[in-house]
Amino acid sequence: MKKPSFVIGKKQIVLAGMTLMLGIAVYANYAVTSSGSEIKTTDKIEKHSDEYGEAELVSADKNTSDYFAQARIDRMNARDEAKETLKTIINGGDATEEEKEVAAEEAAAMTGLMESENKIESLVKAAGFTDCVCYLDGDNANIVVKAGSEGLIASEAAQIKDILLSEVSVPTENIRIFDVA
């Protein structure tokens, strides 16, 4: 008669993990329901935003004196870190040629997005807005403009959307325009 072998395989590890998660879920359910107190809830928060076309306009109440300068610095720092990472991959000795090619393509795409952001910001400012910051990531576009105390009106939002779509191809449902007074 053969002796059974006790080899632990992937299936046994997955089964043990799922059993452990089920046990934790049962204990958590017991702990919450046996405490006798009800779960605390918060009040409903009303979100108000106006949509013009497919772009969404959101009003923000922030201190605008440093907002645009800080936003540009933060964006520049994030891009510099990404550039350094891509340079490390491209110049690294342990990266394969395929990884280097992908990193080079990402660097070129990032450069294109940066140029588009700068061009859109310049065009929005040329359209009569005081200040503007644009964030592009390929599929999404977020534009923050400095509007007067009355905020953006529908025609101004449409004008910004037209400027954006003349420079980049982004689905209209992924365009968000924020106005900062």
Side-chain angles (χ1 to χ4, degrees), residues 17-61:
M18 291 180 72
T19 304
L20 180 66
M21 289 188 333
L22 179 63
I24 292 171
V26 168
Y27 174 75
N29 186 27
Y30 171 75
V32 169
T33 58
S34 68
S35 65
S37 63
E38 294 184 24
I39 297 175
K40 295 180 182 179
T41 60
T42 59
D43 295 333
K44 182 178 176 183
I45 298 174
E46 302 267 340
K47 178 183 174 194
H48 177 69
S49 66
D50 298 322
E51 293 188 27
Y52 302 107
E54 294 294 324
E56 186 175 343
L57 173 67
V58 181
S59 179
D61 297 327

Side-chain angles (χ1 to χ4, degrees), residues 26 33 40-41 66 73 91 114 133 136 158 163 165-166 175:
V26 168
T33 58
K40 295 180 182 179
T41 60
D66 297 331
I73 290 170
N91 297 331
M114 289 169 52
V133 178
L136 299 175
I163 291 170
L165 292 176
S166 70
I175 299 173

